[in-house]
Amino acid sequence: MTEATTAAPVEKSELEKRFPDAVKADARPGYAGFLVDTSKLIEVATALRDEMGYDYLSSVTAVDYYSDAPNAENFIEVVYHFYKSTGGGALELKVQTPRENSTVPSLTPLYAGADFQEREAYDLYGVNFEGHPDQRRILMWEGFAGYPMRKDWKEAYFEEEVKPFKNRWPEGQVYRIEDRNPFNKNNAYPQGFDPTGFKETDDPKLYEVLEKAAREYSEDIDTEQVVVNLGPQHPSTHGVFRMAVRLDGETIVALKPVMGYLHRNHEKIGERNTWTMNMPFTDRLDYLSSMSNNFGYALAVEKLMGDKAAPPERAEYIRVIMAELTRISNHLWAIGFLLNDLGAFFTPALYAIVERELILDIFEATTGSRMMCNYFRFGGVARDLPEGVLEKIKSLVTERLPRKIDELDIYLSENELVRSRSEGIGVITPEEAIAFSTAGPVLRASGVPYDVRRADPYSIYDRFKFDVTVRQHGDVYDRYMIRIDEMRQSLQILNQALKDLPGGEIMNGKNPYQVRVPAGESYGRVEGPKGELGFYIVSNGKGNPARYHVRAPSFINLTVLEKMCVGQKVADVVVNLGSIDIVLGEVDR
Amino acid sequence: MTETNPTVNSAGYEVPPELRQNVAITTLDKIWNMGRRYSVWPMMFGLACCAIEMICTAASRYDLARFGMEVMRPSPRQSDLMIVSGTVTKKMIPQIVRLYNQMPEPKYVLAMGACASGGGPFKEGYNVVSGVDQYVPVDVYVPGCPPTPQALLHGLMKLQEKIDSESITQVRWYGKEDIPAIPVPLLGPDLIDPRDNELIKQETSKKPAAPAAAPAAPAPAAEAAS
Amino acid sequence: MYGLGILKGMWVTLTHFIDSYVEDIKWLGRNRYYSKEGIQHRRSKDTKGIFTVQYPEEKLPVPEEFRFVPFLVYDVDEEGNKHDRCTSCGICAKVCPPQCIWIVRTEDPVTKRPVPEPVDFFIDVDICMNCGYCAEYCPFDAIKMDHDYEMASFDRHAEHIFNKEKLSKPASYYAGIRPTNYNREETLKAEEAAKKAAAAAAKAAAAAAKPADGAAAGSTPAQ
Ligand code: SF4
Ligand code: SF4
Ligand code: SF4
């Protein structure tokens, strides 16, 4: 368990001293960080960035404090998590705004990485970010009625406020919920809405923004430019993702990602679920690396639960082993499909998938499912390694995988065609990488040695010797190479963990089907294969989270996509996207 | 061939007794179906987690090529089978219907996983469509979350079974009438299925039963609860 | 030299190509395909060459922990009567994340006490996320995760809500697919039963030894 989330006390007083009337420590029990006056937010954030070294804005999200009790104090709170790119714990700022006409100054001009996250808060909570350069809905479409994440917004299939639903037992007469909806569908319309002659507007603002961006790129717009929409069904978008691209000949002058095609309302459902129920749902975030998602969520909840959920030694080791195996299998997949995007159609991917399948065999034997592992519990893991699995892991880690990673390296890294397609493409400087809040391989390929496992160690990562891999050029080739380097480091961690794996219990106490989590907030973050994966949860002491937010690395890494692509050829878009390694389940949630 | 495809001769239509000797049609069907069942080209089209298992099915270990299905076409114009692999969202369904309309006949749809079949674990979500079959006709459903590659292969074999049971004289795409395209849903305040227009009008003009919902929350909770 | 990297890469693919034949020759006389040890070899760390498992002729064996859709376990007594292990306690319905379990419990018409065996039990497999929570938290080992994944169908409306009849499978089936788990649970149960018996015996002995308190002690177990 790490206790490093709260900033050192020096900074605390420093910030409060600096802004005596604008900043005060958050005194609610279980909460940390500072409440900032809305009007002073920009000032405080600027000081944080320029003077105190908090240059990395990791997560921005909104929380709806709402209750329909009379005299309840209802407001929306926007929560920011800042870090130093040199390492250390978080500094948390919060601003509060009324639920009607919620307005908060935008931090996007200061921290470019806030862009999509603020748009998300606008989309789902209706918080207006003043000064945001491009405030549009991001996950839902323009014209959708209401702000769905607000607590008083109910979906068409709404049954009850929280799970478990009362009608499932003991008189559980089965029904399909669609049969109880007048349209037999998951739809509901505002009063008096008439669909006859309804015309869909295909997001006109998007094209306005594209044009504006094109003008910024070059003043002379005499040449004929075309807008091309790549996706949402496009073989190279790794799922349902769309890029609106403005082209001058073959050169990209503006690009806007459009997402939400896989928005599955993870957070809304997550706030209705009990704490335990969320675990299998986290599997479906980044479905290529479910173990890491489990890890992040378990950490966040365990932090709130305190000592009674501290996992025993053996469980910690198993967690690390599983997380590192996941990283390897994820990177294998990422490399395979990056090469696919480069035009090496399927052969590298096939070789990589063989190794991934062997790792999935391990997951299947241990957890019961190849992809949706649902393996972590609060205070341990679900079950011990079955017979023979440990030997299998050992044989893979010591004998096969190192050989195969080397083979992949020989196979691809020196290939002149790969190099000419990827070197110098999509360059991101270290400053940009930090400003855009990129994480994981994207950040490290740009020369920033930031790895949560080292910068803010969690679990037992402080016991292992490994290098934080860094590459200096920040181009596609380096983002490819860094994944190979990382796999090697993971093997190193695995070797140590397998050697030291102790015996003993795998759960701290019983594994109850309902847990109580003390009131408060917590932010648990892990270094997932895609980057920093964070879970921000707020508990009000009940059986369900009051707020459940996922800081999805591939979502935030996408903020930098435009920067990568502008000025390059259209064929490079696909490669740049592949080098970020997105998973749509996590981007759209 | 007769042993491997016993279903062909009893495939849903009666041969009149006086024609029992005449096996020309069934034989043609058999050849026709054999050609089709071993060259189903799926569309390269993945939605969510299930898509990963679909790719695994096509890859090293399970090798879809053994079924003649390895040619994943990125274009709907060249594909016969749409594997709906993952959660269908309201934002995506217009695209899916459009793609379906663009596929040439004969075309098949396989709903892979709980989500595509009936909504799946995310069914209650506000942006999730409860099953792709609310918009496009589905031929085979493969349950599971996610179905393992072998389960998907089993589903594909079921599809082959279905293809086997079809007869050239009966299939819809050689019929006289045009097959109408499925109207593409629109993204309004919520997803609008043009086929439901009348119903929507009726429902939204009703007086709200309970005290009116807050203006910020237009979703009629009362309707869902009724 | 330009092109060396490409040649190296091609060399790798060539070795993969050759390996598939070398492997087949090495396995001459033994069955690399369509045999248990062949499949086992292909999923071991030494696998080389052809990696494909040719479903449906050969199927990858699923591990014991494998989970697909849940099923209900019933015991069969000597007379061949079926007894559901399920006591309709409702824990699985409460813990199921997408809430896809429906349980109908009844009352005894005379005593008005709930009858343990459920009248009906439904799982909507179009919602079930195969998470395994129901099996994990069921205190009576009455619901377990199945290994049967071949369930594709042509019609979901008729077939995809499983009722009790469709869900129920005998304990012997469970013992067959998950032998380790089954044996562990059975030993636990036996131990517990033994403990209980011992405790009861001790109590009875104590009651017999203290005839004065006999009435009080005797009434406790009866409750
Ligand atoms: S059925 Fe399960 S695995 Fe498939 S898309 Fe839905 S949630 Fe993902
Ligand atoms: S299956 Fe188990 S948990 Fe579910 S009601 Fe029956 S006894 Fe209780
Ligand atoms: S496996 Fe999970 S989703 Fe399925 S019935 Fe059991 S608890 Fe519910």
Side-chain angles (χ1 to χ4, degrees):
Chain A
M1 293 295 315
T2 55
E3 299 303 319
T5 14
T6 43
V10 195
E11 256 98 33
K12 263 189 192 173
S13 53
E14 205 181 307
L15 197 64
E16 271 173 299
K17 248 187 266 161
R18 188 73 213 272
F19 302 97
D21 0 292
V23 176
K24 60 176 197 294
D26 192 346
R28 291 171 286 183
Y31 283 71
F34 303 96
L35 287 170
V36 182
D37 202 37
T38 317
S39 54
K40 290 281 173 52
L41 177 67
I42 299 267
E43 215 176 298
V44 174
T46 316
L48 272 185
R49 185 187 69 168
D50 298 339
E51 293 160 37
M52 299 179 193
Y54 283 95
D55 48 357
Y56 186 82
L57 173 57
S58 160
S59 136
V60 182
T61 187
V63 187
D64 184 12
Y65 287 93
Y66 172 83
S67 113
D68 47 11
N71 308 327
E73 215 186 310
N74 295 338
F75 56 89
I76 284 183
E77 189 172 87
V78 181
V79 184
Y80 304 87
H81 283 86
F82 294 90
Y83 289 93
K84 290 179 179 169
S85 59
T86 46
L91 187 105
E92 207 181 327
L93 294 188
K94 292 158 193 169
V95 292
Q96 295 180 342
T97 172
R99 296 181 88 241
E100 279 84 51
N101 302 323
S102 322
T103 312
V104 170
S106 164
L107 287 191
T108 310
L110 281 177
Y111 294 89
D115 184 354
F116 285 5
Q117 306 188 60
E118 287 184 342
R119 276 176 68 190
E120 184 191 314
Y122 163 72
D123 184 1
L124 304 181
Y125 281 93
V127 182
N128 197 14
F129 287 91
E130 235 170 21
H132 192 287
D134 174 22
Q135 183 169 288
R136 285 176 292 126
R137 297 197 93 135
I138 187 164
L139 295 177
M140 301 307 286
W141 59 90
E142 247 5 279
F144 182 75
Y147 301 112
M149 278 302 287
R150 290 201 174 197
K151 288 280 181 197
D152 53 356
W153 193 95
K154 307 261 180 343
E155 52 268 79
Y157 280 177
F158 178 78
E159 288 192 65
E160 270 172 60
E161 211 57 68
V162 292
K163 288 177 184 175
F165 298 149
K166 305 250 166 3
N167 63 7
R168 299 296 199 260
W169 172 85
E171 268 136 42
Q173 286 302 346
V174 72
Y175 57 89
R176 284 201 164 94
I177 180 76
E178 50 263 46
D179 300 338
R180 304 199 167 180
N181 182 287
F183 314 110
N184 273 323
K185 296 199 172 77
N186 188 3
N187 296 347
Y189 306 91
Q191 198 64 40
F193 172 73
D194 184 2
T196 11
F198 178 83
K199 278 266 168 347
E200 198 179 49
T201 47
D202 183 25
D203 210 353
K205 261 191 184 157
L206 167 67
Y207 298 103
E208 263 168 46
V209 179
L210 262 183
E211 191 171 333
K212 206 172 114 217
R215 261 179 225 290
E216 272 165 26
Y217 175 71
S218 94
E219 270 305 317
D220 82 303
I221 201 159
D222 299 338
T223 47
E224 199 170 315
Q225 301 192 339
V226 284
V227 174
V228 177
N229 275 299
L230 294 170
Q233 194 274 120
H234 189 274
S236 62
T237 52
H238 295 220
V240 278
F241 175 68
R242 170 174 155 209
M243 290 171 282
V245 186
R246 205 177 154 101
L247 295 173
D248 181 358
E250 261 198 80
T251 312
I252 293 161
V253 294
L255 177 148
K256 295 282 168 204
V258 184
M259 43 203 135
Y261 294 98
L262 191 56
H263 179 44
R264 305 192 272 197
N265 330 116
H266 190 89
E267 293 179 5
K268 182 92 181 174
I269 296 175
E271 285 168 21
R272 187 172 301 134
N273 284 347
T274 63
W275 296 99
T276 326
M277 285 177 188
N278 269 337
M279 193 60 85
F281 276 97
T282 61
D283 290 341
R284 285 148 181 87
L285 279 171
D286 172 358
Y287 33 74
L288 287 171
S289 39
S290 57
M291 291 282 195
S292 304
N293 307 339
N294 283 187
F295 207 161
Y297 179 58
L299 273 188
V301 178
E302 280 164 6
K303 229 181 230 175
L304 266 184
M305 288 169 73
D307 278 346
K308 75 173 194 266
E313 279 288 287
R314 183 174 172 84
E316 292 276 26
Y317 274 88
I318 294 182
R319 284 178 171 197
V320 168
I321 291 171
M322 289 302 167
E324 294 307 317
L325 281 176
T326 302
R327 192 183 316 277
I328 295 175
S329 78
N330 177 78
H331 284 353
L332 283 168
W333 184 274
I335 289 173
F337 282 82
L338 173 63
L339 265 291
N340 237 7
D341 295 341
L342 280 168
F345 192 66
F346 234 54
T347 312
L350 285 180
Y351 291 173
I353 286 173
V354 172
E355 311 312 314
R356 179 173 178 267
E357 288 284 342
L358 293 175
I359 295 177
L360 291 194
D361 277 348
I362 293 172
F363 291 163
E364 196 179 27
T366 316
T367 72
S369 182
R370 289 155 48 88
M371 285 165 65
M372 305 307 175
C373 296
N374 184 20
Y375 185 53
F376 289 36
R377 300 287 178 270
F378 310 130
V381 292
R383 57 184 77 77
D384 210 337
L385 301 174
E387 219 185 290
V389 167
L390 194 61
E391 289 69 48
K392 177 125 197 225
I393 301 178
K394 274 187 182 151
S395 66
L396 270 188
V397 167
T398 51
E399 293 170 41
R400 187 175 172 98
L401 287 175
R403 215 160 24 91
K404 287 293 164 176
I405 292 169
D406 290 348
E407 187 188 281
L408 209 62
D409 196 5
I410 295 169
Y411 179 33
L412 301 168
S413 309
E414 293 300 314
N415 188 311
E416 284 83 1
L417 296 178
V418 172
R419 296 189 77 136
S420 61
R421 276 297 308 273
S422 58
E423 275 177 341
I425 303 292
V427 176
I428 295 295
T429 63
E431 294 75 36
E432 282 167 353
I434 293 172
F436 279 93
S437 306
T438 58
V442 181
L443 185 61
R444 288 191 290 275
S446 290
V448 184
Y450 190 84
D451 185 322
V452 183
R453 290 175 292 178
R454 186 53 64 70
D456 183 9
Y458 54 92
S459 187
I460 49 167
Y461 273 107
D462 46 357
R463 298 186 197 170
F464 300 116
K465 276 208 205 82
F466 65 97
D467 295 337
V468 174
T469 51
V470 193
R471 296 250 161 187
Q472 302 300 335
H473 302 101
D475 56 4
V476 171
Y477 186 71
D478 276 6
R479 286 195 281 277
Y480 153 75
M481 279 309 284
I482 201 122
R483 296 204 161 90
I484 294 210
D485 298 344
E486 269 185 31
M487 286 197 281
R488 294 202 171 114
Q489 293 306 322
S490 287
L491 285 178
Q492 206 168 333
I493 297 177
L494 276 169
N495 272 324
Q496 298 169 41
L498 286 168
K499 197 168 92 237
D500 300 344
L501 177 69
E505 290 293 309
I506 48 142
M507 264 307 284
N508 181 351
K510 273 227 173 69
N511 177 10
Y513 76 92
Q514 262 170 337
V515 292
R516 293 255 158 221
V517 177
E521 58 163 10
S522 99
Y523 184 68
R525 57 176 194 154
V526 295
E527 182 70 33
K530 309 258 177 347
E532 178 189 331
L533 172 71
F535 285 84
Y536 177 71
I537 54 172
V538 176
S539 166
N540 50 12
K542 301 218 181 86
N544 310 68
R547 177 76 177 111
Y548 165 76
H549 171 72
V550 186
R551 186 244 187 242
S554 35
F555 173 63
I556 296 165
N557 283 353
L558 273 178
T559 327
V560 83
L561 181 66
E562 181 174 15
K563 192 98 213 161
M564 273 183 192
C565 294
V566 166
Q568 295 183 330
K569 298 276 181 276
V570 66
D572 297 328
V573 175
V574 171
V575 184
N576 282 332
L577 185 70
S579 75
I580 297 182
D581 181 19
I582 57 166
V583 157
L584 266 299
E586 189 178 72
V587 172
D588 295 342
R589 278 153 292 150
Chain B
M1 272 323 293
T2 337
E3 309 88 79
T4 51
N5 295 331
T7 48
V8 173
N9 277 322
S10 55
Y13 62 95
E14 279 299 317
V15 181
E18 63 273 22
L19 287 180
R20 287 266 157 87
Q21 302 302 318
N22 182 354
V23 290
I25 292 224
T26 54
T27 314
L28 186 59
D29 271 346
K30 264 196 272 175
I31 292 171
W32 184 63
N33 283 336
M34 194 180 74
R36 289 182 329 125
R37 85 201 292 265
Y38 291 119
S39 61
V40 179
W41 288 3
M43 184 153 65
M44 191 190 266
F45 167 62
L47 289 176
C49 351
C50 282
I52 306 297
E53 288 295 58
M54 181 180 75
I55 296 169
C56 286
T57 315
S60 332
R61 184 176 262 175
Y62 303 97
D63 194 8
L64 215 42
R66 297 179 294 118
F67 295 82
M69 297 182 187
E70 81 279 21
V71 202
M72 292 238 181
R73 296 280 91 181
S75 156
R77 299 281 184 209
Q78 301 162 345
S79 39
D80 313 301
L81 168 66
M82 178 149 109
I83 301 181
V84 184
S85 53
T87 318
V88 181
T89 61
K90 291 182 186 171
K91 202 168 172 177
M92 191 63 197
I93 189 74
Q95 269 66 259
I96 295 179
V97 172
R98 222 168 265 150
L99 288 170
Y100 179 80
N101 285 339
Q102 286 170 357
M103 282 166 69
E105 293 279 4
K107 54 186 168 189
Y108 300 92
V109 178
L110 184 144
M112 177 184 182
C115 285
S117 311
F122 295 92
K123 183 172 183 176
E124 66 201 273
Y126 50 85
N127 193 25
V128 176
V129 171
S130 356
V132 72
D133 56 358
Q134 290 190 335
Y135 294 91
V136 297
V138 172
D139 297 284
V140 177
Y141 299 89
V142 184
C145 180
T148 58
Q150 302 198 9
L152 176 61
L153 288 178
H154 181 254
L156 289 168
M157 281 156 54
K158 277 262 177 187
L159 180 75
Q160 291 185 328
E161 239 173 70
K162 174 154 186 162
I163 291 174
D164 278 341
S165 73
E166 282 170 343
S167 156
I168 199 164
T169 54
Q170 312 237 318
V171 290
R172 62 178 186 276
W173 51 90
Y174 292 136
K176 288 257 156 29
E177 288 110 69
D178 272 349
I179 303 167
I182 294 170
V184 177
L186 302 172
L187 296 175
D190 205 331
L191 188 73
I192 303 168
D193 187 347
R195 294 172 295 190
D196 283 350
N197 272 359
E198 278 313 303
L199 187 65
I200 295 173
K201 217 160 136 188
Q202 233 175 44
E203 285 292 326
T204 53
S205 56
K206 271 190 205 156
K207 284 266 168 306
E223 275 170 31
S226 65
Chain C
M1 189 188 86
Y2 190 87
L4 204 62
I6 299 178
L7 284 180
K8 266 199 212 161
M10 287 173 133
W11 174 251
V12 172
T13 35
L14 185 69
T15 49
H16 273 255
F17 175 73
I18 294 171
D19 269 348
S20 58
Y21 292 97
V22 173
E23 254 331 83
D24 277 1
I25 293 168
K26 268 197 208 152
W27 276 74
L28 265 185
R30 289 175 298 160
N31 289 335
R32 188 165 194 271
Y33 307 100
Y34 312 114
S35 76
K36 237 190 182 147
E37 65 271 27
I39 295 175
Q40 214 46 51
H41 174 73
R42 265 175 283 161
R43 69 191 312 192
S44 74
K45 67 167 176 33
D46 301 316
T47 175
K48 250 198 231 166
I50 292 175
F51 185 61
T52 309
V53 177
Q54 312 208 7
Y55 183 89
E57 287 83 18
E58 38 178 26
K59 293 181 183 171
L60 266 189
V62 290
E64 178 167 346
E65 290 299 342
F66 180 74
R67 48 186 151 84
F68 212 63
V69 176
F71 68 96
L72 288 172
V73 186
Y74 64 79
D75 289 313
V76 184
D77 64 14
E78 286 93 42
E79 280 111 63
N81 297 324
K82 294 178 187 173
H83 296 288
D84 292 334
R85 285 189 178 183
C86 176
T87 60
S88 5
C89 71
I91 287 179
C92 54
K94 280 184 209 146
V95 80
C96 173
Q99 294 286 294
C100 66
I101 301 183
W102 282 263
I103 304 169
V104 190
R105 188 179 65 181
T106 38
E107 290 171 351
D108 192 311
V110 189
T111 58
K112 295 281 176 243
R113 282 257 200 85
V115 179
E117 296 197 359
V119 192
D120 219 335
F121 197 106
F122 303 97
I123 292 181
D124 189 340
V125 292
D126 284 340
I127 301 181
C128 175
M129 68 202 295
N130 309 159
C131 66
Y133 268 172
C134 44
E136 188 172 330
Y137 292 110
C138 173
F140 300 95
D141 298 321
I143 188 165
K144 292 289 165 196
M145 302 305 283
D146 206 345
H147 281 184
D148 178 20
Y149 50 82
E150 294 169 330
M151 325 199 322
S153 69
F154 296 123
D155 180 11
R156 82 176 169 102
H157 292 278
E159 292 175 26
H160 280 194
I161 291 184
F162 286 13
N163 59 9
K164 188 173 133 188
E165 197 193 323
K166 195 157 177 187
L167 287 168
S168 292
K169 295 194 175 170
S172 53
Y173 174 78
Y174 171 48
I177 61 169
R178 292 171 183 259
T180 331
N181 282 330
Y182 179 80
N183 290 335
R184 195 185 53 228
E185 282 157 14
E186 289 305 305
T187 30
L188 264 183
K189 257 187 235 164
E191 266 170 32
E192 218 141 84
K195 240 191 245 160
K196 246 189 208 156
K203 223 169 215 170
K210 274 197 243 166
D213 299 341
S219 67
T220 336
Q223 269 177 355

